[in-house]
């Protein structure tokens, strides 16, 4: 088999590649009985005393490198900061490894570094190590950035993506689909006069406020594969179902418009500045209030609850109930 | 004196078979017994040889009207017990093998007479039934078919009824659904706030409420209808609004043929079907004097009509002067029809104003069947009430294994094969709706019960990776440790068609909306060679891009844009200009969406590939401003057919074919280009609609004929939802017959996806030689 683009697009095809070819070849996958590679969580943990070091790594490519709302530098920083945050850990530092195409403008690199730094500053994270390589111009397109994130959390405060409890309320911290659809519309040259832009942002502020306000049972950042992928993964790993209210899931009108025109489901495209949480029902309102105080959480909403069914279901006001599927890379038409 | 044991298999339960045997045996002075073994009826006869022979003759020739004998096995008994009389024994349920439960049947004339006779104790009894009529499949929970295994167990017989039930010479002997006003189910009428109106005459009051313009939910035998007047535009529109059902036609129930003739044309065959004991909805042509509100079946030249089938329906019309009522399944669109009282009262709030319900449970939900005659040839659109669960006899074509086939995704039925009998389920519906997906699983359990199937050796499903039925098939194949067989959609269509006609090898024109192809694209205008074992794709419509994927099904103008763009003699700028000038209103986001669409075509972002006939017919429909948005399956194509009715057929669209990957494809871009040219020339809409449909049918037919000549195959079959279209069917038939081939159509199965599970089951269970 040859690796295709869909092997990197999230969804089932990618899942199988990870399970078979990647996990299958790694012998030691965890340290000190911490969370390891095979749990495929946002990050790993290394228990030390009654604290845990959280570590996570991410490679970043994006087309175009600069887009409304951010650039690859901001994504590279936010990506790992958020993965660390999703474990409930305070992010402390990231490392930054860049592979740059021969001929890449230095001003662009300067912009990228400034924006990476600005993102780290927002949540008081250091860039503590780095590496820079240059590749021939025919081997690479622009720049690829890998970052590793480090954080720390008290052992009893680690939050997983696999521990939803029946009865939990599901919170999304803002509008879905912004990043994915703004980039697609940019690439397709759709000219919206409006402010359609990526939501890329560090989420630690929200997570910090939310954990202080109540009990969070599970969380995940809905990046690749979008909200649909994240919620399905959480439900699946937790062995529960979820019932969502379609009209309570926040979506920007511009995002809806582009998704209508392209036939792309806003639930299935990437977000870079959102969190999906399963929270204790009685704490839900308090947590929501706390999240809304954060500048990235103004549109947060309670959008559903965890059930004992084993499907993620969405109830629409007129259309009844449908199953929200794990997205696959290239959907084949199915409507007669 | 001789002793003979006879085993009869078929529809022999719940149809008055044992009393019939009793009567014949007694008349012939034969001794012995008869009993149900659940799946077969066992008869032991003792007496004169010639009388036994006479008995066997009568068995075949005088059997009860509903019964059906699949096989009779006789065996000489030696050293047998002596019998003093002929007796009917209790049913046994330790048996194996196939069993056959009869479908629900319309009220018989005897029962109808009773409910209209003021002196009969069943006068106005809405639940009257006997061995010749009434519910069966919808009330049965398990085998053998006895009253205690049905929901009639909730209604203990009164003394008078019990006497009838136990008298072998009475026509209610072991009629499991029989009852009377004293001991049977009761009707009650509720308002929308769930208040029981304690109506003394619920049916009279129901009619009154209907005539005042209310919308009622009425629980019937196998399901619930939403019911209202047909002549009041306001009422019908209110129903549409409440259901969110913009344009899908409503079926109506009319009291009799005479009344139906005031608004439709009815052929002799249609009349027979309307009055048949299965009593399906028959899609009839509206007559010149058609006078119903426009919104009942808007922009169509047809309307679905059924006659009353239950005593309740008959009484409704006895008390009413209306020519018909709308009778549409009470459900959220796409979800299963509601059958429990809690659902009817709870979930139909805001949809119906009042509810007429009763306290008999419905075990097997069963939607009304729908048939249509095209060129005087019957075709099943939905094969459900009145037909399910009567099995197809596969006559040894497949392995003697238990098979479950789950069908496609929309219009799903499933099929269970056991002992070479294929039980195709009632209509299940759109399984990407969660409740329908649950209904599918429930219905499978029920069908397993009444066929005494405990496990499966083979699970069959579609090849589409995203269908919920595919996912369920994978789960079930693990659960039963059964082999999983994925069958190509149009191969399944073709095999169902071949089975219906008792042939194997043929060239099939499989023409529909969508089916996952073995190359991963969406097929739907295919010329295949098929036999049970295999298929080969020999031709198709030209693959076209679907910018936005399924969005193209909802907004056919996207398909029109893409197909015109594929046409060499049309430049992109010309296409964009045309769209902006003439079709911009069909794009919800206007000009910007038109520009985006072409960028999408170039970047291939969410662009599917399809050779679907449905998408081409949709495009023609939109090009002619007939339909710009699809609100129900086949809408644009159905309206295209209706629009062509007045045409004389004066225009011809020249056909162009191309070669693509060793197969012949019909250039659909060229057809659409011609349609646009005819519009520019000011040709009448009906003529263009006609010419467009003829072009697509003749194009597909020509590829099929050439393929059949080359392969040396004499049969050319037509399958897929496109062939519900009368003009397309007739054109195809004429072309094929003129070319010297035999034209094969569905007889006792659906051309559409309702028969896909049957085809899947046969392919999956095929006995390799
Ligand atoms: Fe089909
Ligand atoms: Mg990650
Ligand atoms: Zn009767
Ligand atoms: Zn009685």
């Amino acid at each position: 088999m040859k690796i295709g683009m869909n092997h990197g697009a999230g969804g089932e095809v990618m899942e199988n590649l990870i399970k078979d070819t990647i996990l299958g070849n790694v012998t030691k996958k965890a340290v000190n009985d911490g969370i390891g590679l095979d749990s495929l969580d946002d990050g790993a943990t290394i228990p030390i005393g009654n604290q845990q070091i959280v570590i996570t790594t991410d490679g970043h490519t994006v087309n175009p490198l600069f887009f409304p709302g951010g650039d690859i530098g901001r994504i590279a920083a936010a990506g790992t900061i958020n993965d660390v945050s999703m474990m409930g850990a305070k992010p402390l530092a990231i490392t930054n490894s860049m592979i740059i195409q021969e001929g890449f403008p230095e001003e662009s690199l300067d912009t990228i570094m400034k924006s990476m730094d600005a993102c780290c500053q927002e949540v008081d994270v250091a860039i503590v190590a780095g590496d820079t390589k240059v590749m021939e111009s025919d081997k690479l397109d622009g720049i690829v950035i890998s970052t590793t994130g480090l954080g720390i959390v008290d052992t009893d405060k680690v939050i997983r993506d696999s521990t939803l409890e029946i009865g939990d309320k599901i919170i999304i911290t803002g509008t879905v689909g912004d990043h994915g659809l703004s980039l697609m519309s940019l690439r397709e040259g759709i000219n919206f006069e409006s402010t359609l832009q990526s939501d890329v942002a560090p989420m630690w502020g929200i997570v910090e406020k939310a954990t202080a306000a109540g009990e969070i049972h599970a969380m995940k950042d809905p990046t690749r594969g979008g909200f649909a992928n994240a919620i399905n993964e959480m439900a699946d790993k937790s062995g529960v179902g979820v019932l969502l209210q379609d009209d309570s899931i926040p979506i920007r009108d511009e995002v809806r418009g582009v998704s209508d025109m392209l036939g792309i489901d806003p639930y299935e495209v990437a977000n870079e500045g959102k969190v999906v949480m399963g929270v204790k029902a009685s704490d839900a309102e308090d947590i929501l209030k706390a999240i809304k105080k954060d500048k990235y959480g103004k549109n947060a909403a309670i959008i559903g609850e965890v059930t004992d069914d084993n499907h993620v279901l969405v109830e629409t006001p007129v259309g009844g109930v449908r199953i929200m599927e794990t997205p696959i890379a290239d959907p084949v038409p199915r409507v007669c | 004196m001789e002793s003979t044991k006879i085993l009869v298999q078929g529809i022999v339960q719940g149809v008055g078979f044992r009393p019939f045997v009793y009567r014949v045996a007694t008349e012939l002075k034969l001794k012995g017994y008869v009993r149900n073994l659940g799946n077969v009826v066992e008869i032991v006869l003792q007496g004169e040889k010639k009388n036994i022979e006479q008995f066997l003759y009568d068995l075949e020739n005088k059997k009860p009207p509903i019964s059906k004998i699949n096989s009779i096995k006789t065996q000489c008994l030696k050293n047998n017990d002596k019998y003093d009389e002929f007796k009917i024994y209790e049913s046994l349920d330790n048996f194996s093998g196939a069993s056959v439960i009869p479908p629900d049947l319309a009220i018989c004339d005897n029962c109808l007479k009773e409910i209209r006779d003021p002196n009969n104790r069943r006068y106005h009894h809405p639940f009257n039934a006997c061995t010749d009529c009434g519910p069966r499949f919808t009330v049965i929970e398990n085998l053998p078919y006895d009253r205690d295994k049905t929901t009639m167990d909730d209604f203990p017989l009164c003394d008078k009824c019990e006497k009838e039930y136990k008298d072998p010479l009475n026509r209610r002997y072991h009629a499991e659904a029989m009852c009377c006003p004293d001991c049977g189910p009761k009707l009650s009428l509720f308002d929308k706030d769930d208040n029981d109106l304690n109506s003394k005459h619920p049916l009279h009051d129901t009619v009154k409420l209907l005539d005042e313009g209310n919308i009622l939910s009425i629980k019937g035998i196998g399901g619930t209808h939403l019911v209202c007047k047909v002549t009041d535009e306001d009422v019908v529109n209110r129903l549409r609004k409440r259901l969110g059902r913009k344009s899908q036609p409503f079926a109506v129930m009319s009291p009799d043929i005479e009344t139906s003739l005031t608004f439709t044309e009815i052929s002799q065959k249609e009349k027979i079907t309307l009055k048949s004991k299965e009593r399906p909805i028959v899609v009839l042509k509206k007559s010149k004097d058609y006078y119903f509100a426009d919104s009942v079946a808007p922009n169509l030249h047809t309307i679905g009509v059924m006659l009353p089938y239950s005593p309740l329906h008959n009484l409704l019309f006895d008390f009413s002067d209306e020519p018909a009522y709308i009778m549409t399944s009470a459900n959220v669109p796409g979800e299963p029809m509601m059958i429990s009282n809690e659902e009817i009262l709870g979930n139909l709030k805001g949809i119906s104003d009042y509810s007429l319900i009763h306290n008999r449970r419905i075990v097997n939900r069963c939607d009304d069947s729908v048939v249509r005659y095209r060129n005087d040839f019957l075709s099943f659109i939905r094969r459900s009430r009145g037909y399910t669960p009567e099995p197809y006899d596969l006559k040894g074509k497949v392995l003697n294994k238990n098979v479950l086939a789950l069908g496609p995704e929309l219009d799903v039925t499933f099929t269970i094969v056991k002992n070479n009998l294929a039980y195709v389920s009632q209509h299940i519906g759109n399984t990407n709706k969660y409740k329908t997906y649950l209904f599918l699983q429930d219905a499978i359990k029920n069908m397993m019960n009444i066929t005494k199937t405990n496990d499966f050796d083979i699970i069959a499903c579609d090849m589409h990776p995203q269908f919920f039925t595919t996912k369920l098939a994978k789960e079930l194949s693990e659960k039963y440790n059964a082999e999983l067989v994925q069958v190509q959609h149009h191969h399944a269509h073709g095999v169902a068609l071949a089975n219906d006609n008792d042939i194997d090898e043929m060239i099939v024109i499989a023409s529909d909306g969508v089916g996952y192809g073995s190359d991963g694209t969406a097929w739907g205008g295919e010329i295949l060679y098929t036999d049970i074992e295999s298929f080969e794709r020999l031709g198709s419509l030209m693959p076209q891009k679907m910018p936005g994927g399924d969005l193209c099904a909802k907004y056919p103008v996207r398909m029109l844009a893409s197909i015109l763009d594929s046409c060499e003699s049309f430049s992109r700028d010309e296409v964009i200009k045309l769209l902006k000038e003439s079709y911009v209103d069909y794009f919800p986001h206007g000009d910007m969406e038109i520009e985006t669409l072409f960028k999408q075509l170039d970047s291939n972002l969410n662009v599917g590939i399809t050779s679907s006939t449905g998408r081409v017919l949709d495009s023609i429909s939109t090009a002619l401003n007939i339909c710009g948005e699809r609100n129900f399956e086949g809408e644009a194509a159905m309206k295209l057919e209706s629009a062509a009715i007045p045409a004389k057929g004066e225009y011809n669209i020249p056909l162009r074919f191309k070669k693509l990957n060793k197969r012949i494809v019909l250039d659909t871009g060229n057809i659409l280009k011609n349609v646009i040219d005819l519009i520019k020339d000011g040709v009448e809409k009906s003529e263009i609609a006609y010419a467009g449909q003829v072009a697509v049918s003749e194009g597909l037919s020509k590829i099929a004929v050439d393929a059949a000549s080359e392969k040396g195959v004499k049969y050319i079959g037509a399958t897929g939802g496109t062939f519900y279209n009368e003009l397309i069917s007739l054109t195809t038939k004429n072309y094929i017959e003129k070319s010297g081939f035999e034209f094969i159509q569905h007889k006792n199965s659906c051309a559409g996806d309702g028969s896909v599970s049957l085809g899947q089951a046969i392919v999956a269970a095929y006995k390799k030689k």
Side-chain angles (χ1 to χ4, degrees):
Chain A
M1 185 186 70
K2 294 228 164 80
I3 306 287
M5 283 311 290
N6 56 349
H7 284 102
E12 270 184 48
V13 181
M14 181 170 177
E15 211 176 286
N16 290 335
L17 180 77
I18 290 176
K19 277 189 185 139
D20 301 342
T21 315
I22 299 180
L23 294 185
N25 285 312
V26 176
T27 312
K28 181 162 173 164
K29 300 191 186 80
V31 178
N32 290 356
D33 288 329
I35 298 166
L37 184 61
D38 45 9
S39 64
L40 298 176
D41 208 321
D42 293 299
T45 65
I46 301 174
I48 291 176
N50 47 14
Q51 287 197 307
Q52 312 221 357
I53 294 174
V54 171
I55 186 161
T56 178
T57 191
D58 241 326
H60 301 273
T61 59
V62 58
N63 172 31
L65 295 174
F66 301 90
F67 47 83
D71 56 31
I72 189 168
R74 186 168 171 83
I75 286 208
T80 31
I81 287 172
N82 291 346
D83 279 348
V84 170
S85 307
M86 290 311 110
M87 307 296 289
K90 155 101 187 75
L92 299 173
I94 64 169
T95 69
N96 171 31
S97 160
M98 300 187 285
I99 306 175
I100 307 167
Q101 185 188 20
E102 166 191 21
F104 192 75
E106 196 193 331
E107 310 83 76
S108 299
L109 186 61
D110 187 61
T111 313
I112 288 169
M113 282 313 302
K114 283 202 165 84
S115 115
M116 185 185 291
D117 187 60
C119 181
C120 290
Q121 290 270 310
E122 282 189 47
V123 285
D124 194 26
V125 163
I127 303 174
V128 292
D131 177 51
T132 307
K133 294 268 174 351
V134 178
M135 269 178 107
E136 292 88 338
S137 58
D138 58 340
K139 300 243 167 87
L140 186 70
D141 188 17
I143 184 168
V144 175
I145 302 181
S146 292
T147 52
T148 294
L150 254 112
I152 193 149
V153 59
D154 292 344
T155 296
D156 58 346
K157 288 191 176 135
V158 174
I159 300 174
R160 310 289 310 267
D161 62 2
S162 56
T163 42
L164 288 172
E165 290 174 23
I166 292 164
D168 282 359
K169 294 287 179 193
I170 301 292
I171 293 178
I172 178 89
T173 59
T175 52
V176 298
D178 297 30
H179 177 76
L181 279 159
S182 73
L183 260 77
M184 278 179 209
S185 68
L186 193 66
R187 286 195 291 258
E188 297 299 298
I190 305 171
N191 307 306
F192 258 113
E193 307 143 40
S194 64
T195 52
L196 184 58
Q197 61 172 37
S198 168
D199 59 351
V200 53
M203 289 289 101
W204 171 246
I206 281 184
V207 171
E208 195 176 23
K209 291 182 181 86
T211 42
E215 219 172 281
I216 301 177
H217 290 153
M219 67 183 162
K220 190 164 192 65
D221 56 339
T223 52
R224 233 174 346 192
F227 171 70
N229 192 58
I231 193 73
N232 268 292
E233 206 175 315
M234 290 171 82
D236 198 35
K237 285 181 174 176
S238 312
V240 296
V242 170
L243 178 63
L244 299 161
Q245 298 303 321
D246 203 32
D247 54 352
S248 62
I249 303 176
I251 296 184
R252 282 184 206 284
D253 287 346
E254 309 92 279
V255 169
R256 176 89 66 197
V258 176
S259 92
D260 279 356
M261 283 195 284
L262 297 174
I264 284 174
D265 186 343
Y267 297 155
E268 299 189 357
V269 301
N271 307 274
E272 293 293 343
K274 296 288 147 41
V275 187
V276 184
M277 296 175 185
V279 307
K280 191 175 170 189
S282 53
D283 290 353
E285 288 298 336
D286 290 342
I287 294 174
L288 182 67
K289 222 181 275 165
I291 293 172
K292 277 174 175 278
K293 284 198 185 115
D294 191 90
K295 70 169 168 173
Y296 298 121
K298 297 208 160 40
N299 295 315
I302 297 172
I303 55 174
E305 63 184 25
V306 178
T307 65
D308 60 359
D309 196 289
N310 58 352
H311 296 277
V312 175
L313 304 175
V314 203
E315 192 164 15
T316 51
V318 281
V321 181
R322 68 176 178 91
I323 299 176
M324 183 184 276
E325 296 169 83
T326 300
I328 67 165
D330 297 306
V332 183
R334 64 207 278 184
V335 176
C336 285
Chain B
M1 198 181 69
E2 291 201 8
S3 299
T4 300
K5 181 158 147 183
I6 306 167
L7 293 174
V8 191
Q9 194 165 59
I11 300 185
V12 288
Q13 287 182 58
V15 293
F17 201 78
R18 286 173 301 164
F20 154 74
V21 166
Y22 176 88
R23 279 195 300 275
V24 175
T26 331
E27 275 163 26
L28 291 168
K29 302 203 167 59
L30 294 166
K31 317 264 191 272
Y33 68 87
V34 57
R35 71 175 163 190
N36 265 345
L37 295 186
N39 55 332
V40 293
V41 164
E42 179 190 54
I43 306 164
V44 167
L45 297 175
Q46 226 162 48
E48 298 285 315
K49 187 175 180 199
K50 69 171 200 310
N51 287 351
I52 293 179
E53 275 163 9
Q54 180 63 40
F55 178 92
L56 284 166
Y57 177 86
D58 288 353
L59 193 64
E60 294 223 47
N61 294 289
K62 292 183 183 169
K63 63 179 189 299
I66 310 173
S67 65
K68 199 172 159 184
I69 295 177
N70 290 338
S71 73
I72 299 177
K73 282 186 199 139
T74 58
Q75 180 195 346
C76 240
L77 294 178
K78 302 253 155 66
N79 311 323
N80 206 40
D81 296 343
K82 287 259 181 298
Y83 299 98
D84 308 331
E85 55 185 341
F86 194 86
K87 267 191 162 168
I88 301 180
Y89 284 172
E90 288 283 304
S91 302
L92 281 187
D93 58 3
N94 56 334
F95 55 85
S96 65
S99 87
V100 184
I101 297 300
D104 287 20
L105 297 171
I107 185 170
C108 71
D109 290 344
N110 286 326
C111 287
L112 195 55
K113 236 177 257 157
E114 288 175 345
I115 63 170
R116 286 175 173 159
D117 173 6
N119 298 317
N120 192 287
R121 71 187 187 93
R122 292 190 172 88
Y123 181 55
H124 285 177
H125 178 43
F127 300 95
N128 203 15
C130 73
T131 37
D132 291 340
C133 74
R136 299 217 174 11
F137 173 64
T138 53
V139 296
I140 184 163
E141 291 177 311
N142 217 324
L143 287 184
Y145 181 63
D146 268 330
R147 193 168 173 109
D148 64 348
K149 304 275 194 329
T150 73
T151 58
M152 289 307 289
D153 195 33
D154 299 346
F155 306 96
L157 293 165
C158 67
D159 292 349
K160 280 183 188 160
C161 284
E162 180 147 16
K163 225 187 224 160
E164 295 171 309
Y165 182 83
K166 288 191 168 158
D167 174 7
L169 297 174
N170 191 290
R171 71 185 179 88
R172 288 200 168 80
Y173 176 76
H174 271 272
E176 309 305 349
M178 74 93 99
C179 57
C180 74
D182 293 333
C183 64
K186 302 271 184 298
L187 288 174
S188 32
L189 190 57
F190 284 78
D191 70 10
K192 61 170 170 293
D193 300 317
D194 294 358
N195 297 313
D196 189 340
L197 299 178
N198 293 316
S199 166
K200 292 256 157 22
H201 301 286
L203 283 167
H204 284 102
D205 291 343
T206 294
V207 168
K208 200 164 146 261
L209 289 167
L210 286 170
D211 292 350
E212 284 167 2
N214 291 291
I215 296 166
L216 272 81
S217 26
I218 299 184
K219 182 178 174 186
I221 293 189
T224 308
H225 288 116
L226 286 168
V227 186
C228 70
K229 285 211 290 203
V230 291
T231 43
D232 189 332
E233 194 72 60
D234 289 346
V235 176
V236 184
N237 274 323
R238 207 184 310 141
L239 178 61
R240 286 207 174 277
K241 216 170 177 175
R242 290 180 185 178
L243 279 174
R245 191 162 144 170
K246 278 192 199 162
S247 48
Q248 190 174 1
F250 289 122
V252 304
M253 184 180 275
S254 182
D256 46 48
I257 299 283
E258 292 67 42
T259 314
S260 305
L261 277 168
T262 64
F263 57 91
T264 57
E265 291 171 12
I266 307 177
S267 73
Q268 195 52 37
K269 284 187 181 170
E270 285 166 342
K271 186 172 154 188
I272 291 168
T273 305
L274 279 166
K275 292 171 75 172
S276 68
K277 59 190 191 310
E278 293 85 5
R279 221 149 286 190
I281 295 170
V282 182
V283 178
L284 300 171
K285 289 192 178 69
K286 292 173 179 170
S287 69
K288 279 189 238 38
D289 315 319
Y290 179 80
Y291 53 91
F292 292 178
D294 277 343
S295 51
V296 176
N299 298 317
L300 294 171
H301 69 293
T302 56
I303 181 169
V305 180
M306 64 183 146
L307 298 188
Y309 53 87
S310 76
L312 186 154
H313 295 139
N314 276 284
L315 292 170
L316 215 55
F317 282 103
D318 284 355
F319 304 149
S320 165
D321 295 325
E322 289 295 314
Y325 288 122
I326 283 180
M327 285 260 179
T328 191
S329 304
N331 57 342
V332 172
E335 291 194 348
M337 180 167 54
M338 292 170 196
I339 52 173
S340 78
N341 291 349
E342 298 73 52
E343 280 180 313
I344 298 166
L345 294 179
N347 299 359
L348 287 173
K349 269 205 178 67
I351 296 179
S352 67
D353 301 310
Y354 296 87
S355 304
L356 178 67
I357 59 174
H358 58 72
N359 54 347
R360 181 166 69 200
R361 287 176 297 123
I362 297 171
V363 181
N364 293 297
R365 172 189 290 111
C366 202
D367 284 83
D368 295 322
S369 295
V370 186
V371 306
R372 179 180 180 186
Y373 279 90
R374 302 162 346 282
N375 335 309
D376 226 21
F377 195 93
L378 178 85
S379 75
F380 277 96
I381 294 174
R382 176 182 294 171
R383 197 176 176 283
S384 199
R385 175 183 53 74
Y387 303 93
T388 310
E390 194 184 329
Y392 295 86
D393 188 350
L394 301 181
K395 299 173 191 156
K397 255 184 278 198
V398 300
L399 299 166
N400 191 10
K401 288 195 167 174
N402 293 354
V403 183
L404 171 66
L406 291 171
E409 177 157 85
L410 305 171
D411 281 325
V412 163
T413 64
F414 65 88
T415 294
I416 288 180
V417 177
K418 193 187 178 194
N419 293 350
N420 260 280
L421 293 176
Y423 301 83
V424 178
S425 76
Q426 72 270 43
H427 169 75
I428 303 290
N430 176 358
T431 49
N432 72 38
K433 295 278 182 172
Y434 184 59
K435 287 186 182 166
T436 312
Y437 186 59
L438 295 179
F439 168 38
L440 168 67
Q441 296 173 57
D442 269 356
I444 292 172
K445 265 180 231 149
N446 288 341
M447 190 70 99
M448 287 175 77
N449 276 343
I450 63 170
T451 54
K452 284 280 174 199
T453 308
N454 299 318
D455 54 16
F456 296 105
D457 306 304
I458 299 169
I459 308 278
C461 65
D462 201 278
M463 286 170 67
H464 200 299
Q466 282 166 288
F467 280 179
F468 288 106
T469 47
T470 306
K471 292 174 186 172
L472 181 62
K474 288 179 179 165
E475 285 171 29
L476 292 178
S477 83
E478 277 176 30
K479 177 174 172 188
Y480 292 108
N481 194 16
E483 185 187 350
L484 180 76
V485 182
Q486 290 185 267
V487 181
Q488 201 279 326
H489 186 87
H490 302 100
H491 184 205
H493 267 299
V495 169
L497 171 62
N499 177 66
D500 219 0
N501 289 277
D502 261 325
I503 52 181
D504 182 16
E505 169 183 85
M506 65 175 175
I507 297 296
V508 51
I509 306 174
S511 176
D512 59 9
V514 66
Y516 190 88
S518 29
D519 60 358
T521 71
W523 293 4
E526 311 305 310
I527 308 302
L528 307 176
Y529 165 90
T530 62
D531 56 25
I532 296 190
E533 202 172 358
S534 67
F535 75 95
E536 187 184 347
R537 191 188 197 194
L538 303 170
S540 72
L541 299 185
M542 193 155 87
Q544 299 287 3
K545 288 187 167 189
M546 294 179 82
D550 280 330
L551 210 52
C552 293
K554 176 139 177 73
Y555 299 107
V557 73
R558 299 181 78 93
M559 240 14 249
L560 175 66
S562 158
I563 296 177
L564 288 176
D565 192 51
S566 78
C567 183
E568 295 97 356
S569 47
F570 233 141
S571 77
R572 162 111 15 136
D573 288 344
E574 278 176 296
V575 178
I576 294 180
K577 186 162 168 278
L578 176 76
L579 291 170
K580 286 191 173 177
E581 278 173 11
S582 308
Y583 301 106
V584 66
D585 291 348
Y586 292 141
F587 292 92
H589 296 270
D591 281 353
M592 197 203 315
E593 188 170 348
I594 296 178
E595 279 152 29
T596 304
L597 182 146
F598 286 96
K599 286 175 185 154
Q600 205 173 3
L601 281 175
D602 292 339
S603 70
N604 270 320
L605 174 70
N606 191 27
V607 174
I609 302 285
T610 190
S611 50
S612 152
T613 313
R615 297 296 80 81
V616 173
L617 296 173
D618 286 0
S619 307
I620 300 174
S621 187
T622 290
L624 292 169
N625 292 307
I626 292 166
C627 181
E629 187 186 328
R630 166 203 196 271
N631 290 298
F632 59 91
E633 197 184 325
E635 175 172 16
M638 280 165 71
K639 290 184 171 167
L640 179 68
E641 182 189 359
S642 290
I645 294 295
K648 299 187 191 75
E650 289 164 342
Y651 293 85
N652 229 332
I653 291 179
L655 299 176
R656 278 215 325 231
F657 299 88
K658 293 181 175 175
K659 198 139 196 190
L660 184 78
N661 304 330
K662 287 188 207 154
R663 70 175 196 276
I664 305 293
V665 298
L666 173 64
D667 185 348
T668 44
N670 179 58
I671 292 177
L672 260 298
K673 164 88 169 77
N674 274 275
V675 166
I676 298 294
D677 288 346
L678 289 171
I679 296 171
K680 282 182 187 150
D681 293 347
V683 172
E684 252 178 83
K685 190 187 275 190
S686 63
E687 292 296 342
I688 309 174
Y690 189 96
Q693 293 174 81
V694 168
V696 172
S697 347
E698 291 194 339
L700 286 167
S701 303
K702 178 169 186 331
I703 303 174
V705 163
D706 291 349
S709 311
E710 195 169 307
K711 287 261 168 192
V713 175
K714 66 177 173 181
Y715 302 112
I716 299 178
T719 185
T722 307
F723 289 101
Y724 292 132
N725 179 310
E726 185 158 30
L727 175 58
I728 291 180
S729 303
L730 187 62
T731 308
T732 306
K733 178 173 186 281
N734 288 346
Y735 191 103
I736 284 164
E737 288 176 351
K738 243 184 3 220
S739 308
F741 293 88
E742 204 170 314
F743 184 59
I744 304 297
Q745 303 188 66
H746 286 272
K747 290 175 179 160
N748 187 25
S749 58
C750 299
D753 283 1
S755 290
V756 165
S757 67
L758 174 63
Q760 290 172 346
I762 297 173
V763 172
Y766 172 60
K767 186 165 31 175
K768 291 188 182 69
K769 286 186 183 102

